[in-house]
Amino acid sequence: MKPLGTEQTLAFEEPLLLRSGASFGPYELKVETYGQLNDARSNAVLVCHALNASHHVAGLDAQGKLGWWDNLIGPGKALDTDRFFVIGVNNLGSCFGSTGPMHTNPATGRAWGGDFPLVCVEDWVAAQARVLDRLGVQRLAAVLGGSLGGMQALSWAMRLPERLAHCIAIATAPSLSAQNLAFNEVARNAIVSDPDFHGGHFYDQQTLPQAGLRVARMLGHITYLSDDVMESKFGRERGESNAFQIESYLRHQGDKFAGYFDANSYLLIQRALDQFDPAAEHGGDLTRAFQPARCKFLLASFSTDWRFSPARSREIVQALLDNGLEVSYAEIDAPHGHDAFLLDDPRYHGLLRHRFAQIAREVGA
Amino acid sequence: MKPLGTEQTLAFEEPLLLRSGASFGPYELKVETYGQLNDARSNAVLVCHALNASHHVAGLDAQGKLGWWDNLIGPGKALDTDRFFVIGVNNLGSCFGSTGPMHTNPATGRAWGGDFPLVCVEDWVAAQARVLDRLGVQRLAAVLGGSLGGMQALSWAMRLPERLAHCIAIATAPSLSAQNLAFNEVARNAIVSDPDFHGGHFYDQQTLPQAGLRVARMLGHITYLSDDVMESKFGRERGESNAFQIESYLRHQGDKFAGYFDANSYLLIQRALDQFDPAAEHGGDLTRAFQPARCKFLLASFSTDWRFSPARSREIVQALLDNGLEVSYAEIDAPHGHDAFLLDDPRYHGLLRHRFAQIAREVGA
């Protein structure tokens, strides 16, 4: 079957000036696009990914793998690729084809490993903007993202206000809480204390720090699910060899993840999450951080999300309202916790379908 | 300075029949007692410990270390050692002097390690009952415990109803939830995947699985604190070398713990927690599990405890009420999460002070 999207590798010769002050490049980014850019070049939607996803957002790819947001994006779906030109970008430092820690550091001739520069949400946004330049898109109909992807969408609205009409940020937060940081620190320790990690230089050691990565993912997974959904799905049920089913389930999730994800990318993306805090540049004032924003906003959160709780979305909504911006906000009563943003709750998808229909009318998609 | 308590090692020749069906012994238990058993032998209070504590509950020991519940127990304190004969027992399988995985398995001549038998809450209760026999205490004025210690107190009420007048169970649960089990599974994986663990036989390898134990403890620590208290204590503040303070704090907690606690004891005690589920023997009916109970109950939970939430205590209270038992229950509005049971919130300590004054009158202490 023909893939729904068109995958391409874009090479960027000019270095990217990173937020840390370092300059990085040349580099390559994997990009997948869906649908057609209309003549007015007004129907482009950028979809930003979270920790473990990629540019492959919808349909099957050449390997037969379904896109990570396929339930939302595609022909006739809430984000309709028959009307919109949808762009997925694998972020710099990730491990699905874009330049990352597993690629060669030209200064040393060996893989970057843990020496890959610190990359921030704002750097991804700058890199995504260059992708749009390359694709001939000056102004986006919308930027859409959930969780860490939502942070990118918010960052677009603050940093490149003239280049988007709508920002749609789902299950996100204006920064990590102390508890979020704490979980990340535990995951980081599990990875870096795995002797197969070799300080991030495991590529030339014929080893992979899979044990550490597995623990990190198991832990992450707990925070993606609500207490209630875990209870109703697994409770204290036992499976094979009398182990609790939740134990086998978590181990399975950890094994699967450790089999395909790169440990350095994990640490790098987690660090970007830790660092995201647009209010910090403005003395902790989120309202001032959003002052440059000009687009319309839709935010949604899920009642049982304890990773990025509704209260965190409300902080954002308040800051946007303080700036007199146009904001819609939905707090969706869903049992699934943070993971809900990837599921197809009908109220949630109905909300996005309605918003994209409105955007289509506005931009003539 | 003279220790407040009297520490002794009690040797038990006769094997203990464990819940698993295995028989274990001979074995030794470390015990510390405080105050004097009165002539009527009616003023004894057993204090049960949670994961990382011991028989040393109050005052300074010979090494100058303060007991883990010293803010509650001692002369003139809520549990007044001038009136009560207080007994602390280091549970079988723990690592503070009682027989545990670091001791020699007579069948092999090497340390038990991971081959130490599965020990359950009910086994600890049976072993504690033998300690009382040895100390000449037929009937306890009260059994007191928090968290896993609370499970032991509840188990006393169900299994040895004639041997206690009061059960005081703080911040506890009738079983672990799926989320509790999930966190334990992550901690377990961190420990057993540490190459220094050697399948639990690290004692004769000159290694310690400290990296894994550190990750386990860091994770545990997150679940002991409320989101709010972590936010107000640490927020996104940074300390030395620009690291977030919560990161340094957790690493410090992990290092400290990994320096004194035994990895096999950790796994063993965690497994006892996982297994505790008195309702399971009665088709999931907690009310039936409490049918044998005859004592009076005091339960307390803390509003921000998300490890063993107030809802879990309410399940117990309901089961006790269904049996027509006398129950007092306090849900204490405290910001500290699960850890609150070890802190000296005045309402909480006032509640226990009042209850022990009542018990003192009842038993003539």
Side-chain angles (χ1 to χ4, degrees):
Chain A
M1 208 177 128
K2 194 172 159 293
L4 179 67
T6 305
E7 190 187 77
Q8 51 188 313
T9 305
L10 301 183
F12 296 85
E13 286 303 317
E14 196 185 338
L16 190 69
L17 179 63
L18 300 175
R19 195 157 172 271
S20 65
S23 169
F24 186 80
Y27 62 91
E28 293 183 348
L29 294 179
K30 281 274 181 203
V31 174
E32 191 162 332
T33 59
Y34 310 81
Q36 299 297 326
L37 187 60
N38 62 7
D39 292 340
R41 297 174 176 269
S42 66
N43 69 334
V45 174
L46 175 68
V47 179
C48 303
H49 69 77
L51 202 152
N52 67 324
S54 74
H55 54 292
H56 178 48
V57 301
L60 298 171
D61 63 10
Q63 289 74 46
K65 192 166 175 275
L66 204 62
W68 59 272
W69 220 344
D70 185 75
N71 60 18
L72 187 80
I73 302 169
K77 296 189 179 169
L79 172 47
D80 187 348
T81 52
D82 289 338
R83 306 174 80 177
F84 288 100
F85 177 61
V86 173
I87 305 161
V89 181
N90 185 221
N91 282 328
L92 189 67
S94 178
C95 52
F96 298 104
S98 294
T99 301
M102 68 296 299
H103 295 118
T104 304
N105 175 357
T108 63
R110 64 198 290 228
W112 284 99
D115 301 330
F116 199 87
L118 178 72
V119 178
C120 293
V121 166
E122 292 80 0
D123 300 324
W124 288 332
V125 167
Q128 290 158 358
R130 284 188 173 185
V131 169
L132 299 192
D133 295 344
R134 195 69 69 84
L135 297 176
V137 175
Q138 177 50 35
R139 184 177 161 87
L140 289 159
V143 182
L144 166 68
S147 191
L148 174 56
M151 292 174 173
Q152 294 161 56
L154 296 174
S155 193
W156 264 92
M158 287 183 259
R159 300 178 73 87
L160 298 164
E162 310 303 333
R163 296 195 71 173
L164 75 167
H166 286 263
C167 170
I168 306 177
I170 315 292
T172 194
S175 64
L176 295 201
S177 70
Q179 192 187 66
N180 295 149
L181 292 172
F183 280 122
N184 282 357
E185 177 64 11
V186 177
R188 182 160 36 243
N189 265 267
I191 294 170
V192 304
S193 69
D194 183 332
D196 288 332
F197 182 64
H198 295 284
H201 291 292
F202 50 84
Y203 306 109
D204 39 14
Q205 302 279 340
Q206 319 300 325
T207 63
L208 288 174
Q210 290 191 321
L213 198 52
R214 187 169 60 228
V215 168
R217 178 59 168 185
M218 289 169 73
L219 174 54
H221 206 85
I222 298 177
T223 71
Y224 304 151
L225 299 182
S226 72
D227 189 11
D228 282 353
V229 83
M230 217 180 240
E231 198 61 34
S232 62
K233 266 175 94 166
F234 302 103
R236 295 180 54 83
E237 293 302 311
R238 294 176 191 253
E240 43 181 286
S241 67
N242 209 29
F244 292 107
Q245 283 181 6
I246 180 65
E247 298 175 350
S248 326
Y249 171 77
L250 277 185
R251 279 200 301 270
H252 172 73
Q253 293 293 333
D255 285 340
K256 202 170 68 171
F257 185 75
Y260 76 83
F261 210 82
D262 178 80
N264 285 309
S265 288
Y266 193 90
L267 294 175
L268 177 152
I269 297 173
Q270 203 181 258
R271 192 55 91 180
L273 262 168
D274 289 354
Q275 300 298 321
F276 183 69
D277 187 5
E281 291 167 40
H282 302 276
D285 185 345
L286 191 62
T287 297
R288 279 176 54 207
F290 275 112
Q291 233 163 32
R294 294 292 172 267
C295 64
K296 296 175 187 168
F297 288 84
L298 171 63
L299 278 91
S301 68
F302 300 96
S303 55
T304 57
D305 184 348
W306 62 282
R307 180 175 170 79
F308 293 156
S309 72
R312 304 308 312 274
S313 282
R314 275 184 251 125
E315 289 177 43
I316 300 166
V317 169
Q318 189 57 57
L320 297 171
L321 292 174
D322 290 345
N323 280 297
L325 291 158
E326 195 178 319
V327 193
S328 301
Y329 172 56
E331 214 164 285
I332 296 160
D333 189 16
H336 304 95
H338 189 61
D339 252 8
F341 92 88
L342 293 169
L343 305 178
D344 60 358
D345 181 283
R347 283 163 303 181
Y348 164 42
H349 275 198
L351 181 76
L352 291 188
R353 181 178 288 278
H354 181 266
R355 175 54 58 113
F356 278 111
Q358 173 200 338
I359 296 172
R361 284 192 298 276
E362 282 180 20
V363 302
Chain B
M1 208 176 127
K2 193 173 160 293
L4 179 67
T6 305
E7 190 188 77
Q8 51 189 311
T9 305
L10 300 183
F12 296 86
E13 287 304 315
E14 197 186 335
L16 189 70
L17 179 64
L18 300 175
R19 196 157 172 272
S20 64
S23 171
F24 186 81
Y27 62 92
E28 294 183 347
L29 294 179
K30 281 275 180 200
V31 174
E32 192 163 330
T33 60
Y34 310 81
Q36 299 297 326
L37 187 60
N38 62 7
D39 292 340
R41 298 174 176 266
S42 66
N43 69 333
V45 173
L46 174 69
V47 179
C48 304
H49 68 78
L51 201 150
N52 67 325
S54 74
H55 54 294
H56 178 47
V57 301
L60 297 170
D61 64 11
Q63 288 74 45
K65 194 168 174 274
L66 204 62
W68 60 273
W69 219 345
D70 185 75
N71 61 19
L72 186 81
I73 303 168
K77 296 187 179 169
L79 173 46
D80 187 348
T81 52
D82 289 338
R83 306 174 80 177
F84 288 101
F85 178 60
V86 173
I87 305 160
V89 181
N90 185 220
N91 283 329
L92 190 67
S94 179
C95 52
F96 298 103
S98 293
T99 300
M102 69 296 299
H103 294 118
T104 303
N105 175 356
T108 64
R110 65 197 290 227
W112 284 98
D115 301 330
F116 200 87
L118 178 72
V119 178
C120 293
V121 167
E122 292 79 1
D123 300 323
W124 289 331
V125 167
Q128 290 158 358
R130 285 187 173 186
V131 168
L132 300 191
D133 295 343
R134 195 69 68 84
L135 297 175
V137 175
Q138 176 51 34
R139 182 176 161 87
L140 289 160
V143 182
L144 166 68
S147 190
L148 174 56
M151 292 173 173
Q152 293 162 57
L154 297 174
S155 193
W156 264 92
M158 287 182 260
R159 300 177 74 87
L160 298 163
E162 310 302 333
R163 294 195 72 173
L164 76 167
H166 286 263
C167 170
I168 306 177
I170 316 291
T172 195
S175 64
L176 295 201
S177 69
Q179 192 188 65
N180 295 150
L181 292 172
F183 279 121
N184 281 358
E185 176 64 10
V186 177
R188 182 160 35 244
N189 266 266
I191 293 170
V192 304
S193 69
D194 183 333
D196 288 333
F197 182 64
H198 296 284
H201 291 292
F202 50 85
Y203 306 108
D204 41 14
Q205 301 279 341
Q206 319 301 324
T207 63
L208 289 172
Q210 291 192 320
L213 199 52
R214 189 169 57 230
V215 168
R217 178 59 169 185
M218 290 169 71
L219 174 55
H221 207 85
I222 298 177
T223 70
Y224 304 151
L225 299 181
S226 72
D227 190 10
D228 281 354
V229 83
M230 217 181 241
E231 198 61 33
S232 62
K233 266 175 94 167
F234 301 103
R236 296 181 53 84
E237 293 301 311
R238 295 177 190 253
E240 44 182 285
S241 67
N242 209 31
F244 292 108
Q245 284 182 6
I246 181 65
E247 297 175 351
S248 325
Y249 172 77
L250 277 185
R251 279 200 301 270
H252 171 72
Q253 293 293 333
D255 285 339
K256 203 171 67 172
F257 185 76
Y260 76 83
F261 209 83
D262 178 79
N264 285 310
S265 288
Y266 193 92
L267 295 175
L268 177 151
I269 297 174
Q270 204 182 259
R271 192 58 90 183
L273 262 168
D274 290 354
Q275 300 297 323
F276 183 68
D277 187 6
E281 292 166 40
H282 302 277
D285 186 343
L286 191 62
T287 297
R288 278 175 53 206
F290 276 112
Q291 233 163 33
R294 294 292 172 267
C295 65
K296 296 176 188 169
F297 287 85
L298 170 63
L299 278 92
S301 68
F302 301 95
S303 54
T304 58
D305 184 350
W306 62 283
R307 180 173 171 80
F308 293 158
S309 72
R312 303 311 310 276
S313 281
R314 275 183 252 126
E315 289 176 43
I316 300 166
V317 169
Q318 189 58 56
L320 297 172
L321 292 174
D322 289 346
N323 280 298
L325 291 159
E326 194 178 320
V327 193
S328 301
Y329 172 55
E331 214 164 285
I332 296 160
D333 189 17
H336 304 94
H338 189 61
D339 252 8
F341 92 88
L342 293 169
L343 305 177
D344 60 358
D345 181 283
R347 282 164 303 182
Y348 164 43
H349 276 198
L351 180 77
L352 291 188
R353 182 177 288 278
H354 181 267
R355 173 56 57 115
F356 279 111
Q358 173 201 337
I359 297 172
R361 283 192 301 274
E362 283 180 19
V363 302

